[in-house]
Structure formats: C-alpha cells, structure tokens
Amino acid sequence: SSSSSSSTNPSTISCEVEVIAARKGAGTHNVIKPNSKHVKKVDPEQYAKFENIPHPAALEKFHLTKANPSWKSANWKYFHIIEYSEKKPRPLDHRERCSYAACNICGFVVLFKTVTNENKVKATGCGIISHMEKIHNINQTSTSNNSKSTQNSSREAIMKRKKSKSNSNETRKKKRVQNSTIANDDIHNNNARTKQSTLTIIDTKSCNISSSKMKIHNPAIEPLLYALEYANVKFLRYASIDIINSIRTKAVPIQRLIKTANDHTIDNKVSIAKVCMAGLPHYADAMMSEETGLDARDVLVMNPDVQSLRILPYSSSSAMVFGTLHDQRSGELSDLCTRGLLYRVIETAKEKFGLGFGVGAEIEFILLSNSNSSTSDIKAVDNTVFASTTTLNEQDDFINDVYDSLQKQKIEIELLHSESAPGQIEIVLPYQNNVMKIADHIVLARETIKACAKKHNLHAIFLPKVFDSQAGNGMHVHLSLTSSDESPSRNLFSDPDSNDDDKLLSDEGEAFLEGILRHLKALLSLTMPTVNSYRRVGPGCWTGHSVCWMVEEKESPLRVCLDLESGEATNVEFKLIDSTCNIYLALAGILFAGLDGLHQHMKLRSPEISGDDSDRLPQSIEESLQCLSDDTLLCSLLGKSLTKSYIAVKKAESNYSASRSLSDEVDDAMKR
C-alpha cells in the first residue's frame, strides 16, 4: 500500500495501488519515492505525494487526459501526472502509456490502461464494483450513472482492496443470488433474454494470463529441463486443442530448449497458423476462408502452462505441455484460444461473484478387436452388460496398463466399470476444484487410453455412437459451485443450514442450474458438436430429450446428484456431452451459462420432464447451431471471430457427414 497526503487536506489516506497496465516485457518495477524529482506537481489542488508506487521499468512518461463524463458522475477525477526518465532514455512504446486516477471521496488510486492515436492519449475507462459499492455506502446515494458505470465495469483496471477473511466472506455473501420474481411463462422461454445488464466475460487484455511479449523469468525452468533430460526425455510437445477437438502439437528437442533457456523461459518457442486452430474441418486441412474469415495469414504463439507438463508413459521420449495462444504482434491472448476462454470464465466467476467451480468427469469408450482388417465387420472385445465382471477379468492387462500410465501422469481414477454396450468401459475422474486441471486430465486420459489400447492390439473408440442398436459413449461432467475465498473451499450447491426442509439446493445452486437450462439448446452445439453426437441421444437412452432437470433421474439431461452419506445435493450431472467436443470450450459455455443464472437472479423451474414442444431439445447439429446463433450471451462469450469460425466449420462438417453412414464414421474414428 501507499500513503497519500494532499496539500489541501493534511490527513493521510491509505490506498492500495496495483499496476494494471505494466510495460509489456518489464521484468522488474522501480519505485518512486516521496519528494522525488520524478514526481511533478500538475494542479495545486489535486497534487499529492505518493510512497511506494509500483512503476513499470523503463517508462519515460505517464500521461493523463480529460476525465470521461461517466467517471465524473461516478466520483472519479484525474489526480496527478508522473514523469519518469531513465538515465538512458529510449523511445516510448504506445502500449506502455498509463494513467493514474483517484476517487474524490476516499482517495482510492487506480492505474488506467491507455491507448494512443497520433500521440493523443486517452483512457480506456474502467470501473470497480467493490469500490463503487463503498462509494455508495459513504454517500448513501446512488445515481443512474453510478449504476450504469457499475454494470459496465470490467477487469481492465481492477484493484481489490485487501480484506480480512470475515470481510471477504461478507462480500461473497452479498454477491450471492437472491430469489427473483421471474414470471412462469418467462421461465419456459428458452431464448437468452436478460432482465438486467448482460453478463460479460473478462476480456483477453484484462485477464491474468501474461502477454507473450512479457518474458516471465522462472529460475526453475532450467533445472526442469535438465531433469527432463536426465529422465531420457528428448522432446517437449507444445499442445493446444483446436475447435474440432484435435490436439495440435509441435515438438521441440529438450537440448534445443536448454541452449536457449538462459532467459529462464520456454515461452515463444512454437507458433501455429491461426487457421489451424479455428478454420479447418475434421475431414481435411482445407481452408474455408470465405466462411470463417481465416486464411493463411498470421500465426499464434503457444505459451506453455508448466503446471500441465507431463512425461508421456506411452511415448517415454516425449513430454507434453498445454498452453495458451497469443497474437504474434501484440502478444495478447487470442480470442481463438479455447483454453484461454475457459480461464477467463474461471476468472470472471472469481472476480464478479466470489465463486469457483468443482468438476468431475465420466469418460466412456468401447474396446474393439484389432483382428479385423475391415471396419465393415467391427467386433467388440466382449458382449457384456452394465457393471459386469467379464470385462474387468478379460481386459485386466489393458486396465492395469491404463491405470499405471495415468498414475505416472498424476491423474487419479475414482472408479471404473463396464458399461451397457459391448466392450464398453467407463473411467471416472474424481471431482476437483481446479477446472483447468480436470480439463487437461480429460485430454491426457483419452490419449493414454488410446495409446494403451494399441499396445494391446485393440482400438479404443470414443465416438458417441458405434453400434446402431447399442448404447453410445458419453462424457458426462459433474458440476458444482464452490467458495473461492475460503481455504478449503466449501461446496455452495446446496444449503445444509436452510430451515426449509423441502429446499434441496441453495439459492446459488438453483440460479446456476436454471442458467444452464435457459441456454441448454445452444450449449448442445458446443457439447455435442457432430452429426454422430445426435445418434446417441433420445428417449430411453438415459441422456434426456427435453429441457428439464430432476433429482437422481438418469433420463433427465441435468441430474441433481445426492451424496451417498449425507443425502445432500452436491452437484449436477450434465449428460448431453461427449468426447467429440473441445472440453475447454464446452466447460466454458456450460459454466458461463450457469453464471448468467446467478447474474440474472433466475428462479429454478419445477423438476419434471416436459412434453411441451417448446422444451424439445435440438435433434441435429444444424438445429443446435441455429440456437447458438440466436443466443446472445453465448455468442458474446465466444466473440465474433470464434463464433463465426465455429459455426462455419461445424456446418461444413455437417454437410460432409450428411451422406456418410455410421460405418463410415466408425471407420474415420478408427483411423484417427
């Protein structure tokens, strides 16, 4: 924190200062001391001295401009100008210009991002919800402009004041959803209509993912590379998942990384064409430039998340690391990066609602014999029924191999058993509060299962429908809400302290569930994104076929699950999802839809399977894509570029698959 003493007001004000727009590439911050020659008096009435203000290294000047009218009405006022020069000045990059501003009432200081146009600097503008609430409490008044400023606030310049745990809990409680009065007919309207301001996601510039232009020096990188070399790892695969759920990866020799690791980073080593991540259909690397707006121009830089790095037991000379995609010129997170999109949803929940998520997954696949050379006569390894011992007995070697390989990658298995279709197995990944980690584990687990199957002369098929008259493969996910400001976090999906014995879910849980239901039709375009996906679902398939929820009902698309010990509702199972989806994109959509329920204070509909045609779920990928086009919230989540590309690619895939049989689809899956 820093202290400020005004020439017009001798009292000292304690403020917190955070550099929101630090210079890209800055590794350290300088400090401007009180009475420093670098602090210049601009206006006698507004001038103040600041202590311990973090200052981006190598900046020559800070600029301020006229206050935006909306900020004047919100009690914001530009406060002072700081000029800073190095002994060896250099040209100032326009992205490095920032502005300080302070509140008239309490002196709360914020660093604003700024942009330039022909050397004219203007602030981008930012609001702080928690601070605006404080201003309201001080004045005991609020104007419409205040409300507008609060609703349109973003994370572009957010500064959270440090609070004690009790204060943090109190803030979170204020953000909890209260019952709203949404009319019954509005409850059954499945369009993404809003009763308040539209929920917005933290943008790519304001999230906490570092720019690819900012070199993060990590002294542990070099020892990590030497450890990989000692473990006989020769290659590091940089991986990212495209919109059609293909793992796009490039391998860099460990020796090469060691030679270039003198800057203690493995960033900016790999790039991939933009069109490869969002502009190519599954059946060919064929550009659709007119439809997607993407062509051979420009690449995206892969920046690895070292926490996701794993040595691959099935390919022991290689390790793999997942990463985010960044614009090659600006270094900012790309709006085509699905992993980055999920990260932004997680950050939005934390910053705007004080919430986190819990996620678990059930991965289903079918084991096929590899003895047949033709896929016209594919054969499963057995013909057992649900939870049979036969599969476990006969496939013991394969199952042990999968288990050991996952354990080596620190991926736990909670449960496994045979499923209803011939040769079908389900592996359950345990519930955890790190959403990004469970998403990574799902991708790694599928890769591991396929590799182990080949080792045992088998094919592991994750295709939603393999046998026309048998059950299909899903990838059900279990979801709950957690507190993000408590350690350990608490499950907020139910309210065990409620005095209402008939109330199964908490207010947050009900609103979250209703938000998913409101957007369910459009969500299917993200969670069931192929023609084959819709072969798996329908009445009697234990997947659900209408927009509804129920408690412990496996025929409902959203099943509220009760804890075996306490009997409390701990999570909701989302059943209309399969392994053809990009898990990062699917989870981002589902969780953001739930957040919309919280944002709109939605009231949960009654638990029943509706026979109303208006509640009928899409019967094809074409129908669900149309629902996505009509869903304002989800389109805003994806952004214009990703929405356009995704819909165009999926329509092309649908047209391609229209003339192909189930046998053709299985053939394609076995070759991938």
Side-chain angles (χ1 to χ4, degrees):
S1 66
S2 62
S3 58
S4 167
S5 57
S6 173
S7 58
T8 58
N9 184 358
S11 62
T12 300
I13 303 173
S14 296
C15 306
E16 291 179 354
V17 181
E18 179 182 359
V19 176
I20 302 300
R23 179 180 72 84
K24 292 177 174 63
T28 58
H29 289 148
N30 291 340
V31 175
I32 297 177
K33 298 297 183 181
N35 300 318
S36 168
K37 64 180 180 181
H38 302 308
V39 180
K40 302 185 86 175
K41 180 176 178 182
V42 176
D43 186 330
E45 295 182 358
Q46 300 178 17
Y47 175 64
K49 299 173 183 177
F50 288 81
E51 183 179 4
N52 295 329
I53 297 179
H55 186 47
L59 294 192
E60 293 179 67
K61 293 182 179 180
F62 280 80
H63 297 267
L64 293 176
T65 59
K66 294 180 181 180
N68 183 294
S70 65
W71 293 110
K72 287 183 178 180
S73 64
N75 294 310
W76 289 93
K77 191 173 184 180
Y78 285 108
F79 201 68
H80 65 289
I81 294 177
I82 296 176
E83 289 191 357
Y84 172 78
S85 298
E86 287 185 310
K87 293 180 180 179
K88 297 180 180 180
R90 61 171 183 76
L92 179 67
D93 183 73
H94 73 278
R95 292 188 299 270
E96 300 168 355
R97 300 186 178 184
C98 310
S99 300
Y100 278 107
C103 176
N104 286 347
I105 296 178
C106 73
F108 189 92
V109 179
V110 175
L111 179 65
F112 286 79
K113 276 188 178 180
T114 60
V115 295
T116 59
N117 182 16
E118 297 180 354
N119 296 324
K120 295 180 181 179
V121 185
K122 59 181 179 180
T124 58
C126 173
I128 300 178
I129 294 177
S130 60
H131 182 63
M132 297 309 299
E133 291 175 350
K134 178 179 179 181
I135 296 300
H136 175 74
N137 292 336
I138 293 176
N139 288 343
Q140 295 299 314
T141 60
S142 64
T143 64
S144 60
N145 285 331
N146 275 359
S147 176
K148 180 179 180 181
S149 177
T150 301
Q151 292 173 0
N152 293 332
S153 66
S154 71
R155 181 69 175 136
E156 287 189 9
I158 194 164
M159 178 55 241
K160 289 188 77 175
R161 300 177 68 88
K162 294 180 179 178
K163 299 179 181 180
S164 65
K165 180 177 178 180
S166 60
N167 287 340
S168 178
N169 290 340
E170 184 64 27
T171 300
R172 177 177 54 77
K173 289 178 181 178
K174 289 181 179 180
K175 293 178 182 177
R176 286 190 180 185
V177 175
Q178 304 298 323
N179 288 331
S180 62
T181 56
I182 300 176
N184 289 333
D185 60 338
D186 192 47
I187 290 177
H188 292 287
N189 182 358
N190 294 289
N191 294 326
R193 299 193 303 172
T194 55
K195 289 297 180 182
Q196 300 180 4
S197 61
T198 302
L199 176 63
T200 56
I201 188 174
I202 291 174
D203 65 28
T204 56
K205 297 179 181 179
S206 303
C207 68
N208 290 329
I209 295 179
S210 300
S211 163
S212 65
K213 299 296 183 182
M214 181 179 289
K215 291 186 178 180
I216 306 300
H217 300 277
N218 184 349
I221 290 297
E222 195 168 2
L224 172 63
L225 294 175
Y226 281 120
L228 291 173
E229 183 185 42
Y230 184 78
N232 296 318
V233 174
K234 296 180 175 63
F235 304 99
L236 178 59
R237 300 178 186 177
Y238 287 65
S240 187
I241 315 302
D242 66 12
I243 63 171
I244 62 171
N245 196 34
S246 293
I247 303 177
R248 302 283 181 172
T249 182
K250 294 183 179 182
V252 181
I254 296 295
Q255 279 291 340
R256 174 64 181 169
L257 292 172
I258 291 175
K259 289 180 180 179
T260 59
N262 52 358
D263 55 358
H264 304 295
T265 180
I266 55 175
D267 293 350
N268 301 309
K269 306 298 182 184
V270 171
S271 65
I272 191 166
K274 261 188 179 182
V275 69
C276 290
M277 300 310 300
L280 304 177
H282 78 270
Y283 52 84
D285 280 349
M287 288 192 299
M288 305 164 48
S289 302
E290 184 176 346
E291 297 88 347
T292 64
L294 300 174
D295 53 29
R297 290 174 295 180
D298 296 333
V299 299
L300 298 174
V301 179
M302 284 190 187
N303 272 7
D305 176 2
V306 180
Q307 295 184 48
S308 70
L309 191 150
R310 298 290 187 275
I311 296 176
L312 305 177
Y314 49 86
S315 182
S316 57
S317 65
S318 295
M320 186 156 67
V321 63
F322 296 108
T324 48
L325 302 171
H326 297 257
D327 184 271
Q328 69 179 122
R329 293 182 176 85
S330 68
E332 291 172 354
L333 180 67
S334 171
D335 54 4
L336 300 178
C337 178
T338 56
R339 182 185 176 88
L341 182 66
L342 177 57
Y343 183 89
R344 289 161 56 204
V345 170
I346 296 169
E347 286 292 293
T348 299
K350 181 179 179 181
E351 298 299 339
K352 294 190 176 183
F353 299 92
L355 296 173
F357 304 106
V359 179
E362 303 171 2
I363 304 174
E364 295 176 342
F365 59 95
I366 290 176
L367 280 178
L368 300 178
S369 171
N370 202 24
S371 59
N372 296 312
S373 58
S374 173
T375 56
S376 61
D377 187 28
I378 58 173
K379 183 179 179 181
V381 294
D382 58 46
N383 194 28
T384 61
V385 293
F386 176 79
S388 169
T389 60
T390 301
T391 301
L392 301 185
N393 293 337
E394 294 182 354
Q395 304 306 322
D396 183 64
D397 290 343
F398 164 75
I399 291 172
N400 284 337
D401 197 8
V402 169
Y403 179 78
D404 291 341
S405 296
L406 292 178
Q407 286 290 101
K408 290 176 182 177
Q409 298 171 81
K410 303 301 180 184
I411 300 175
E412 295 183 31
I413 292 179
E414 178 180 309
L415 189 72
L416 61 85
H417 58 84
S418 68
E419 264 290 352
S420 298
Q424 190 176 35
I425 297 175
E426 176 178 295
I427 290 181
V428 180
L429 302 186
Y431 212 79
Q432 57 179 290
N433 295 337
N434 188 329
V435 180
M436 195 65 71
K437 180 180 287 188
I438 189 70
D440 291 344
H441 284 184
I442 289 171
V443 177
L444 289 168
R446 285 199 302 248
E447 283 290 288
T448 303
I449 292 167
K450 287 192 293 184
C452 290
K454 288 184 178 180
K455 179 180 175 181
H456 291 267
N457 199 31
L458 302 169
H459 274 296
I461 301 295
F462 296 86
L463 196 68
K465 195 70 168 178
V466 178
F467 300 109
D468 188 45
S469 59
Q470 299 289 347
N473 292 317
M475 189 187 66
H476 305 169
V477 292
H478 291 253
L479 314 162
S480 70
L481 294 170
T482 64
S483 56
S484 66
D485 51 5
E486 296 179 37
S487 182
S489 59
R490 290 192 300 114
N491 190 327
L492 303 177
F493 196 65
S494 63
D495 187 3
D497 298 327
S498 174
N499 294 324
D500 187 352
D501 294 336
D502 296 327
K503 187 176 177 60
L504 190 64
L505 305 179
S506 65
D507 291 340
E508 296 100 322
E510 289 187 353
F512 181 77
L513 183 54
E514 180 62 28
I516 296 174
L517 288 166
R518 293 286 186 93
H519 298 279
L520 185 57
K521 292 183 178 182
L523 284 172
L524 296 195
S525 65
L526 307 180
T527 62
M528 293 169 44
T530 64
V531 168
N532 186 273
S533 297
Y534 295 82
R535 300 183 189 273
R536 178 179 74 94
V537 300
C541 293
W542 286 21
T543 57
H545 57 279
S546 64
V547 181
C548 68
W549 73 280
M550 295 188 75
V551 179
E552 293 294 3
E553 170 58 74
K554 293 183 181 294
E555 192 62 36
S556 173
L558 291 175
R559 175 176 74 105
V560 172
C561 302
L562 304 180
D563 183 76
L564 295 178
E565 294 183 4
S566 66
E568 296 176 3
T570 55
N571 66 87
V572 59
E573 180 185 23
F574 189 104
K575 300 171 72 69
L576 293 169
I577 182 171
D578 62 53
S579 288
T580 63
C581 76
N582 175 316
I583 187 60
Y584 305 96
L585 185 58
L587 284 178
I590 297 170
L591 297 177
F592 198 68
L595 290 180
D596 187 48
L598 292 166
H599 182 70
Q600 301 298 338
H601 300 176
M602 292 181 184
K603 184 177 177 61
L604 182 61
R605 67 193 71 193
S606 59
E608 59 185 2
I609 297 179
S610 172
D612 194 325
D613 286 343
S614 64
D615 288 333
R616 182 182 66 87
L617 287 169
Q619 304 297 298
S620 67
I621 181 61
E622 294 90 347
E623 281 189 49
S624 63
L625 287 172
Q626 184 58 53
C627 293
L628 176 62
S629 298
D630 296 338
D631 194 304
T632 304
L633 182 91
L634 293 182
C635 286
S636 68
L637 168 68
L638 270 61
K640 292 182 180 179
S641 180
L642 184 55
T643 299
K644 179 180 179 180
S645 297
Y646 187 83
I647 292 176
V649 168
K650 289 303 172 182
K651 284 184 176 180
E653 291 181 340
S654 175
N655 293 334
Y656 172 82
S657 299
S659 60
R660 295 179 66 78
S661 66
L662 175 59
S663 177
D664 293 331
E665 293 171 345
V666 175
D667 187 24
D668 289 342
M670 292 182 68
K671 292 177 180 178
R672 293 185 181 276

